[in-house]
Amino acid sequence: MTLDSPTVTGNRGLVIEEPLIFEQGSPDKCGVDLPEPDDRPDRLGGVARSGPIGLPGLSEPEVVRHYTRLSQKNYAIDAGFYPLGSCTMKHNPRLNERMARLPGFADLHPFQPESTVQGALAAMGHLSDWLLGLTGMEAVALSPGAGAHGELCGMQAIRAALDARGADERRVVLVPDSAHGTNPATAALCGFQVRGIPGNDRGRVDVDAFKAALDDRVAAVMLTNPNTCGLFESDILELSTAVHEAGAYFYLDGANFNAIVGRVRIADLGADAMHINLHKTFSTPHGGGGPGAGPTVLSGALAPFAPLPHIVADGAGYRLVEHVEGDMQPFGRMKGFHGQFGVFVRALSYMMSMGVDGLRQASGDAVLNANYVMARLRETLTPSFEGPCMHEALFDDRFLKGTGVSTLDFAKAMIDEGFHPMTMYFPLVVHGAMLMEPTETESKESVDAFCDAVLALADKAKAGDAAFFTGAPRHTPRRRLDETKAARNPVLRWEPPAPAQAAE
Ligand SMILES: *Cc1c(COP(=O)(O)O)cnc(C)c1O
């Protein structure tokens, strides 16, 4: 299939073939009218700029159009269904944005005197209380800036606890094969040796292999629950008990907390540390790499080693503990200042507007929606594991066997149908993985529209129309990119075109 008739402009309806901003306008044009500067003595000495600055020259309406058009090329949760698994792109209530932009929150400076930021400290204190209430844990470090950073925080606390016990021989961290890549990376960064634990044919950790790997060199186990196959680790109590009996610590990766929040107290699972991706569970827009926040909750065994600062409420109001007090033995700090404050405000406003009952319903709806996807697709696609799932439905590429269509081709065809593709090729333990997470906010109508499209595409692939897939996407501003070349030879900087050679 080809597009019947390319347009003369290259534009397609409202999709404008937009040049780079440097290719528009001209450097001598300026969108604002500034007075000529007074004749001032040059104070820059030898570092003063000698040539033109080379900024693009556009008028205000040209700039506005440029960025508006670019924004129209962006697929976003505000534009349509976004089934990416593992990342949990979810609805971000506008109320949260309103709260985060209140001048009393947005215009603070971290060096302001404590007496002038009592409201902000109270918000951090309330957020801590919510996180401790929902998890049943002893302490929380708010400062980690993302999930991976929270892992670092939890594993550093474990490292400090081991050092305090003089357990120098414990240098191995067990990580299931299905883990997110950040888990082994974190363990390695903290100086631990990583040992993989195989899964069983039910998509869970193999308990026997797990127990066999526990010895007196093991420092900790890092486990994700629900795991990255979208399944609840049903043997988790047996696992955490075995970890503790072996003298090691139990790290839970809480990235999928959105599937169980309000239903499972993390302390009851035997966790010693767990990071919470506020941006995945408590709503913050986090496309394109940020911002996020990864507060880490700790058990009584690790609480003394929590990093500074701590937030405490005492008679005089809230205060930040920035230096060691009493018998605390912080392993250090995670970052300058106090954490991703704007994300804290969004998460707290989400929690307060939802209430505990609302959070509980959100996790229930997330699981219900995923199981609806699973039920509608399971006969046509190939689910990787039997039985119900948690918040995401995992399929592999067995249903495409012999069709000449790969998971990647299938995903590209979904783009043409107006859907963001699901997560592909993750988790790695499943061949050609397709991980679909509808999230709690999608209506039955929108989930049905998605399932209808996936089923129609699957039928088309099985009917032998491979070219339909391998040629996709056809309706996007750009088609298939040479991803290998882009990764190996990235062009990250615009260079002005070389001046045309004068004719001889
Ligand atoms: C997203 C994720 C992480 C890392 O969190 P970031 O906030 O992206 O750093 C870790 N583990 C799992 C299972 C995840 O899904």
Side-chain angles (χ1 to χ4, degrees):
M1 188 175 96
T2 50
L3 284 180
D4 349 326
S5 56
T7 56
V8 294
T9 51
N11 299 336
R12 281 182 259 160
L14 297 178
V15 182
I16 307 293
E17 184 57 29
E18 186 71 7
L20 297 179
I21 196 164
F22 287 96
E23 293 163 356
Q24 302 186 34
S26 59
D28 53 1
K29 196 148 109 187
C30 188
V32 287
D33 195 7
L34 296 172
E36 280 299 316
D38 299 339
D39 223 4
R40 283 173 191 249
D42 171 14
R43 291 188 296 171
L44 291 172
V47 295
R49 181 163 47 79
S50 55
I53 194 165
L55 292 178
L58 287 87
S59 68
E60 183 179 300
E62 286 171 326
V63 171
V64 171
R65 279 188 188 158
H66 175 70
Y67 287 107
T68 303
R69 288 164 172 175
L70 285 186
S71 77
Q72 290 167 337
K73 296 200 162 101
N74 197 17
Y75 196 90
I77 193 75
D78 289 342
F81 192 80
Y82 213 109
L84 265 191
S86 186
C87 294
T88 317
M89 286 298 299
K90 57 172 25 227
H91 171 57
N92 307 113
R94 295 302 179 269
L95 176 67
N96 303 352
E97 297 304 316
R98 185 78 194 276
M99 294 300 114
R101 282 165 176 69
L102 288 175
F105 285 143
D107 297 343
L108 300 182
H109 192 282
F111 284 147
Q112 260 175 261
E114 261 174 13
S115 63
T116 67
V117 291
Q118 281 295 308
L121 295 180
M124 289 167 70
H126 291 322
L127 177 64
S128 301
D129 293 343
W130 270 89
L131 295 175
L132 294 176
L134 289 169
T135 58
M137 300 288 274
E138 284 288 317
V140 58
L142 287 183
S143 56
H149 207 210
E151 291 174 34
L152 185 64
C153 175
M155 294 306 286
Q156 290 284 43
I158 288 174
R159 179 89 202 228
L162 288 169
D163 288 349
R165 269 164 52 183
D168 296 341
E169 73 291 353
R170 292 190 179 265
R171 284 295 172 263
V172 173
V173 170
L174 305 181
V175 180
D177 289 346
S178 62
H180 194 269
T182 48
N183 291 185
T186 298
L189 197 63
C190 294
F192 294 114
Q193 230 176 297
V194 178
R195 204 182 298 155
I197 303 288
N200 60 23
D201 56 9
R202 292 170 47 243
R204 273 89 172 177
V205 170
D206 184 320
V207 178
D208 293 333
F210 183 90
K211 287 186 173 169
L214 283 172
D215 58 28
D216 54 13
R217 295 195 56 238
V218 173
V221 171
M222 298 182 83
L223 190 79
T224 307
N225 193 34
N227 66 26
T228 62
C229 299
L231 301 171
F232 194 88
E233 289 285 355
S234 34
D235 298 315
I236 189 158
L237 287 178
E238 198 178 342
L239 300 177
S240 64
T241 305
V243 171
H244 289 140
E245 279 171 7
Y249 295 96
F250 192 47
Y251 186 92
L252 261 194
D253 179 326
N256 297 333
F257 192 37
N258 66 309
I260 55 176
V261 65
R263 291 164 192 274
V264 177
R265 273 167 30 110
I266 298 307
D268 295 343
L269 302 179
D272 289 299
M274 183 180 89
H275 73 262
I276 297 167
N277 306 58
L278 291 185
H279 46 294
K280 292 181 181 177
T281 302
F282 299 110
S283 91
T284 270
H286 63 282
T296 303
V297 289
L298 302 169
S299 66
L302 296 183
F305 307 99
L308 293 169
H310 299 202
I311 180 127
V312 293
D314 48 28
Y318 286 90
R319 68 191 175 91
L320 279 166
V321 177
E322 299 271 11
H323 302 284
V324 176
E325 288 179 10
D327 51 7
M328 61 175 74
Q329 307 165 60
F331 66 76
R333 296 184 67 104
M334 293 303 297
K335 69 205 302 281
F337 306 123
H338 321 120
Q340 307 279 53
F341 184 70
V343 179
F344 297 163
V345 176
R346 289 175 177 86
L348 182 62
S349 103
Y350 182 72
M351 291 164 166
M352 292 177 75
S353 54
M354 296 283 281
V356 176
D357 56 333
L359 294 177
R360 188 180 150 82
Q361 188 184 338
S363 59
D365 289 350
V367 173
L368 181 65
N369 271 354
N371 277 287
Y372 184 72
V373 168
M374 177 58 95
R376 281 212 58 196
L377 303 186
R378 80 172 329 139
E379 299 296 321
T380 309
L381 274 62
T382 35
S384 304
F385 301 103
E386 284 190 4
C389 56
M390 294 296 289
H391 58 302
E392 49 196 357
L394 178 61
F395 301 91
D396 54 37
D397 61 1
R398 280 172 297 151
F399 76 101
L400 293 172
K401 199 161 187 223
T403 59
V405 177
S406 67
T407 292
L408 179 75
D409 301 328
F410 197 89
K412 297 291 184 195
M414 284 172 65
I415 298 176
D416 276 344
E417 304 299 334
F419 291 100
H420 193 287
M422 63 278 150
T423 290
M424 300 180 291
Y425 301 107
F426 178 83
L428 305 176
V429 289
V430 166
H431 196 271
M434 302 185 180
L435 184 61
M436 304 178 184
E437 178 170 9
T439 78
E440 74 287 353
T441 32
E442 296 297 340
S443 64
K444 180 169 181 298
E445 290 72 22
S446 71
V447 181
D448 270 330
F450 169 74
C451 291
D452 290 344
V454 171
L455 290 172
L457 287 173
D459 286 343
K460 221 171 166 51
K462 291 181 187 181
D465 198 350
F468 178 85
F469 292 86
T470 53
R474 294 181 175 79
H475 301 287
T476 46
R478 289 293 175 272
R479 303 201 38 200
R480 284 229 195 174
L481 305 177
D482 184 343
E483 290 174 19
T484 312
K485 186 169 176 200
R488 293 273 158 82
N489 185 20
V491 180
L492 302 177
R493 190 170 172 185
W494 180 82
E495 302 279 357
Q501 294 276 313
E504 304 255 311

